[in-house]
Each structure stands twice: as structure tokens, then as C-alpha cells.
Amino acid sequence: MGVTASSQTLGGRLGRSRRALVIVWALSLVWPFVAPNDYLLSLGVYFFIHLVLIASLNLIMGWTGQVSLAHAAFYGLGAYVSGVLNTRWGISPWLGTVAATLGVAGVAALIGLATLRLRGPYLSMGTLGFSGILSVLFVELVSLTGGPNGLAGISPYALFGVELDTPARFYWLAWLVGAVVMWVLLNLLCSVPGRALRAIAGSEIGANTLGVDTFRYKVIAFSLSAGMAGLAGAMYAHFNLFASPETFGFFASVLLVVMVALGGIGSYWGPMYGAAILTVVPELLRRFQDLELLVFGGCMIVVLLYIPGGIAALAGRLVSRSRKPAAPARNGTEVRRPASSMEATDGTAGR
């Protein structure tokens, strides 16, 4: 009886989240028609690319509890693999993107086999070492990557003979990819493998006692997360038509971790908030470059102290309070029932 009720609750949450996702993406269709110029429209494109990138890191950090400092390196590897295949060997951007996604996922699987037996700061140090290796290769392999000057001449995507070389054209591709990624993650979240990943995040020892092959699930999640980052990197390269090693350095990896925390670690909707911050705030602070790190650091401290669940948790609490009816007390007064931890953490999707 309890299992049936739990399944019905999970199915109800999944249905509400699907409806919310459809509504949000339907509303985002309006942006190309209301954006006054290509600059603001390009921010919409970068939002969806950042969404895929941050959602991929949230998969390994929030759902599996593993902190990776190599995510920007995977992002850059996807950009360079697709870009090099296109510029050096004339391979189609579409095939290059597929190769980048699968190639980065394969590299991450090998790295995961070597590092995911480590825990805590040792895992972070291991992924940081790999990030440093890739950063050096991006600069030193001048014949392939262009070295410090970056890789130029990358071709845009083309569909039915029409090149997606403007923000107005590329927006629809980024919109579709973002929708597919969020839809897949939503179904994964509510599936048996998704619950196994979250059990690992809660307690790896406890998950082992329940028969979960924790190491296998961690490697799969790490590979899937990196593959999504590679996909985002390839999209970035074929939209920007240029890739520079400065974009994929250590600071970028730290910034992605901050964005996951600000949005809400482990929250389904958290990456959307993180992507919005990552897209908009640097543009607002572009003239004050020295203040960017200060602002993000301050925001991180505020979140850790006062909103440990991130913006998604705050939004979830507000939604839950608006939905909860007041329970009548015995003395005739009304008592507001507290929101459950699941509702307060993630609103519609739940943690």
C-alpha cells in the first residue's frame, strides 16, 4: 500500500514537472520575436549552452555526490575535437559534434575508472590534474588547436543547405537541444538508475548495502556528464566559430561549480537558475572585470550561509507555501503547515 502511494506521488511529481517543462520551453519560443537585437538573442543561445553544461555537472555533483574540477576541460575538449575535425579534415560539424560527445564520454570513462575510487578532496585533486593536462595540450598542440591564439575558421552548422550562422538561426537548435537534455534528465531522475545515483549521493556505504554497484554507477554518471559537457562544447565552437584555451581554464571549472551551488545542488531546476546567472551576470560586469570573481565569491558565501539549497530551494519553498492550505488548530486559529523537505528542496520536481 505504501509502495503504491509512493509510486503515485512520484508519478504525480513527474507529471507536474513535465507540464512545467513544456510551459517553460513554450514561453522561451517567444524570445526570438521579442529580442530587439542579435546581441540579446545570442544571450539566449548561450543560456541553453550553459544550461546543458551546468545540468551535466549537476548530474555528477548533485545526483552522485562527486565533485569534479575537470568539467571546463571536458567542455573545451568537446569544442576542440569538433573544431579540429572540421578545420583540419573537413568533417561535417554534425558528425564532429557526435564524435566530440562520444569521444569526451569515452575519455571520461577512462579517467573515471582511475579516479572515482578516490573520495572527497582526493577525487577533486585527481580531476584537477586531468584539467591541467588538457589545458597544457590546448596551448601546446599548436598544429591542431592553434595554440594560445585559439582555433579559428570553424564552420557553422548547416541544415538543408541553410547555415546556422546567426543567433536567430542557431537559437532554435540550442532551444531543441536544451529541451531534449532537460526531458531526458527529468526521466532519469525519476527512474531506478536515477534513484540509485541519489542513493550514492546520500550514503555510498548505505547504497552498497542495498545492492547498488556504486562504482559502476559513478563511472556511468561521470561519463554521461562529461559527454553532455562535450556536446555543449561542440555547440559553443560551431556557434562562436572560434575556440580559445582561455575559455576552458581552471577558473571556468570553479565558476561552473559555483553556478551549480547557486542554482541548487541536486535540484532538477537548479541548472536553469545557474545558467541564467552565468549568462547574464558576466555581461553586466564586463566593464568591471576585476569585480566578477568578487561578486560570484560573495554570492557563494551568502548561499552557503543562508540558502544552502540554492535559488531552486528558495523558489521551492515559496511555491510550497503558496500551495499549502492553512490547517485549522484546535483553538480555532489557523496554523500554517510546514513544507516537507522534498517540496522545500525542489518545488515541482523534488530532490
Side-chain angles (χ1 to χ4, degrees):
M1 190 70 156
V3 175
T4 303
S6 177
S7 300
Q8 291 176 348
T9 302
L10 181 62
R13 267 203 331 270
L14 179 61
R16 290 193 300 270
S17 297
R18 283 175 174 171
R19 289 192 294 271
L21 185 63
V22 170
I23 292 173
V24 170
W25 251 252
L27 292 175
S28 64
L29 285 174
V30 180
W31 184 245
F33 303 102
V34 299
N37 51 54
D38 282 350
Y39 168 72
L40 291 179
L41 193 53
S42 67
L43 292 184
V45 174
Y46 284 122
F47 166 78
F48 288 115
I49 295 176
H50 292 156
L51 174 63
V52 174
L53 182 60
I54 295 174
S56 65
L57 182 57
N58 188 48
L59 172 62
I60 187 68
M61 276 187 60
W63 295 13
T64 318
Q66 313 298 312
V67 179
S68 171
L69 293 178
H71 219 65
F74 291 132
Y75 180 47
L77 185 60
Y80 273 108
V81 167
S82 189
V84 168
L85 289 176
N86 176 249
T87 57
R88 307 305 187 209
W89 291 285
I91 294 177
S92 163
W94 298 107
L95 294 178
T97 299
V98 174
T101 303
L102 297 179
V104 173
V107 170
L110 296 177
I111 299 299
L113 289 173
T115 61
L116 288 175
R117 297 187 186 278
L118 303 173
R119 297 182 182 180
Y122 300 102
L123 174 60
S124 301
M125 292 169 62
T127 56
L128 178 60
F130 174 72
S131 176
I133 293 172
L134 278 186
S135 296
V136 172
L137 291 178
F138 292 158
V139 175
E140 296 299 328
L141 297 178
V142 179
S143 60
L144 288 177
T145 65
N149 296 324
L151 181 64
I154 303 175
S155 302
Y157 294 111
L159 190 61
F160 303 114
V162 178
E163 291 188 341
L164 308 182
D165 54 356
T166 65
R169 294 174 180 174
F170 200 98
Y171 182 88
W172 305 108
L173 174 63
W175 177 90
L176 179 61
V177 172
V180 171
V181 167
M182 293 299 288
W183 186 270
V184 170
L185 288 178
L186 177 58
N187 287 275
L188 175 61
L189 174 65
C190 297
S191 67
V192 173
R195 279 178 274 182
L197 294 178
R198 299 177 75 81
I200 296 172
S203 172
E204 187 171 341
I205 296 176
N208 270 318
T209 61
L210 294 175
V212 177
D213 189 344
T214 56
F215 180 70
R216 174 173 171 267
Y217 272 105
K218 287 195 296 184
V219 171
I220 292 175
F222 191 70
S223 178
L224 177 59
S225 172
M228 292 168 57
L231 170 62
M235 291 176 61
Y236 170 84
H238 293 291
F239 175 64
N240 205 42
L241 307 183
F242 178 77
S244 171
E246 296 178 356
T247 309
F248 315 111
F250 171 71
F251 173 71
S253 289
V254 174
L255 191 60
L256 291 176
V257 173
V258 172
M259 291 302 105
V260 172
L262 289 179
I265 296 179
S267 163
Y268 173 72
W269 296 103
M272 295 192 66
Y273 298 108
I277 296 172
L278 183 58
T279 303
V280 175
V281 174
E283 296 299 322
L284 297 177
L285 298 178
R286 187 172 294 276
R287 66 177 65 182
F288 310 107
Q289 294 183 3
D290 296 336
L291 292 179
E292 182 177 343
L293 183 59
L294 176 63
V295 170
F296 283 128
C299 291
M300 187 68 174
I301 293 174
V302 170
V303 167
L304 292 176
L305 290 177
Y306 303 106
I307 321 174
I311 299 175
L314 180 61
R317 293 191 192 102
L318 295 176
V319 172
S320 298
R321 289 174 182 174
S322 65
R323 287 179 177 175
K324 287 289 184 181
R330 294 181 180 179
N331 58 3
T333 60
E334 290 186 346
V335 178
R336 179 69 65 180
R337 293 186 298 174
S340 67
S341 60
M342 182 174 294
E343 291 170 330
T345 301
D346 203 24
T348 55
R351 282 195 63 170

